[in-house]
Amino acid sequence: MKDQGIDCLILKDRFNKEWALNQNIAGYVFITKQKIDLVASNAHRHELDQYNVEFASSREEYRQLLQEKAEKTSGEVKTDTESEKIEELFNAEKTDIIKELRKIKTSEEIKNIKKACRITSKAIENCRKTLFNGFNEYEAINNIHNYYTEKSVQDAFITNKSLTLVNTNCLTAHAEPRERVIREEDLVI
């Protein structure tokens, strides 16, 4: 931030907030050289003890807290999201500084990515062994999901509601799985 001449960086983008705080919150994150402040939803009241947080439960409360924050904020202010509200209150321009930082992976992140790739590869290989033994799409998805559960994977793209694996259904975004038995001649993704 110092190199960019930024005195306060406001994060509104969900993924940037999660990257910066290592948890997903509804609200705004204010990063300065000295501290991190949040304006967050009341739903997070018991989760954010390590930060200076002001809580809001309505749009009006958010607006009031942001107005108060704007009055106390000085210097060059940037934000990660184009927002009329933020631009108006803080005279902030959009920056991609966090997006650029997220591209650079630490050795720990690289290790975790490699681990996730190994687990996913083994999950697919495990499913492939029994895929054509009378499984339908739900059962194939459950097979992969169960493998992830055995490996203590807590967050994966697999759901039983929006992932299909077979034939033309696999090319339709968010198509529901079917109970039709998967055959050897089927295209499986």
Side-chain angles (χ1 to χ4, degrees), residues 144-162:
I144 293 172
H145 180 74
N146 289 339
Y147 187 85
Y148 284 156
T149 301
E150 288 173 19
K151 299 299 178 188
S152 301
V153 174
Q154 296 176 357
D155 193 13
F157 67 92
I158 298 289
T159 69
N160 282 338
K161 295 182 180 173
S162 63

Side-chain angles (χ1 to χ4, degrees), residues 48-66:
L48 301 169
D49 296 334
Q50 68 272 37
Y51 302 104
N52 180 31
V53 187
E54 296 182 70
F55 294 100
S57 58
S58 68
R59 284 185 178 180
E60 186 54 42
E61 286 181 14
Y62 268 112
R63 187 128 183 88
Q64 181 180 348
L65 291 171
L66 289 174

Side-chain angles (χ1 to χ4, degrees), residues 105-115:
K105 305 297 182 206
T106 65
S107 58
E108 184 69 21
E109 288 172 312
I110 292 169
K111 184 176 112 182
N112 288 336
I113 289 168
K114 287 179 178 179
K115 180 179 178 183

Side-chain angles (χ1 to χ4, degrees), residues 77-147:
V77 180
K78 300 282 185 176
T79 182
D80 67 344
T81 308
E82 290 184 17
S83 165
E84 287 181 28
K85 182 184 342 180
I86 298 296
E87 187 177 323
E88 174 190 323
L89 289 171
F90 295 88
N91 194 28
E93 295 179 8
K94 185 179 183 303
T95 181
D96 289 329
I97 188 171
I98 297 294
K99 183 179 175 183
E100 293 302 314
L101 286 172
R102 286 175 45 204
K103 289 179 183 178
I104 302 167
K105 305 297 182 206
T106 65
S107 58
E108 184 69 21
E109 288 172 312
I110 292 169
K111 184 176 112 182
N112 288 336
I113 289 168
K114 287 179 178 179
K115 180 179 178 183
C117 290
R118 281 192 301 275
I119 291 171
T120 299
S121 178
K122 289 179 182 177
I124 291 169
E125 189 60 38
N126 184 55
C127 183
R128 186 185 300 163
K129 293 175 187 175
T130 57
L131 188 62
F132 302 112
N133 293 349
F135 275 21
N136 64 38
E137 287 182 67
Y138 285 107
E139 292 166 323
I141 291 167
N142 282 333
N143 180 291
I144 293 172
H145 180 74
N146 289 339
Y147 187 85

